[in-house]
Amino acid sequence: MFKRNVQSIKDLVLRNLRSQGLETPLLQKRLIEAWPTVAGEAIARYTTDVSIYNQTLFVSLRVPALRADLSMQRQEFVKRLNDYVGAQIITDIRFK
């Protein structure tokens, strides 16, 4: 009887992405797209731009008062966003 090495498609795709160096950019894109969901609709309404540079998420906001409030919750947002994508993608958030 033959012994088969059965692997899931998910594992094969992830291994292929990792070997081509595309896993991290894909996870970063998913994290950026998750910002409105994790932050909530009210906060997302005042967000103008979201980007990642050197494991830091940069979020541009239109309201300075909201910037101060969210700065106090930075670590909570970092944890929730990383949990959402299932990997340690960012280590900090900067609101500008």
Side-chain angles (χ1 to χ4, degrees), residues 7-16:
Q7 297 177 358
S8 71
I9 292 176
K10 177 184 175 185
D11 292 339
L12 293 172
V13 169
L14 286 176
R15 185 177 327 135
N16 190 22

Side-chain angles (χ1 to χ4, degrees), residues 30-56:
R30 285 181 52 205
L31 189 134
I32 289 171
E33 291 174 350
W35 172 253
T37 304
V38 172
E41 187 178 317
I43 295 171
R45 196 173 317 139
Y46 296 108
T47 302
T48 58
D49 186 39
V50 180
S51 62
I52 297 177
Y53 181 73
N54 285 342
Q55 293 186 327
T56 302

Side-chain angles (χ1 to χ4, degrees), residues 16-90:
N16 190 22
L17 287 172
R18 194 173 298 126
S19 70
Q20 294 180 15
L22 298 174
E23 182 182 29
T24 301
L26 177 65
L27 290 173
Q28 287 177 345
K29 182 175 179 358
R30 285 181 52 205
L31 189 134
I32 289 171
E33 291 174 350
W35 172 253
T37 304
V38 172
E41 187 178 317
I43 295 171
R45 196 173 317 139
Y46 296 108
T47 302
T48 58
D49 186 39
V50 180
S51 62
I52 297 177
Y53 181 73
N54 285 342
Q55 293 186 327
T56 302
L57 182 70
F58 291 92
V59 180
S60 298
L61 299 168
R62 286 184 259 164
V63 180
L66 184 60
R67 192 176 313 140
D69 288 343
L70 294 179
S71 291
M72 291 185 268
Q73 301 174 14
R74 282 189 351 224
Q75 292 307 314
E76 181 182 333
F77 279 118
V78 168
K79 182 184 181 324
R80 287 172 53 197
L81 285 164
N82 284 329
D83 289 346
Y84 189 89
V85 296
Q88 179 72 28
I89 301 300
I90 60 170

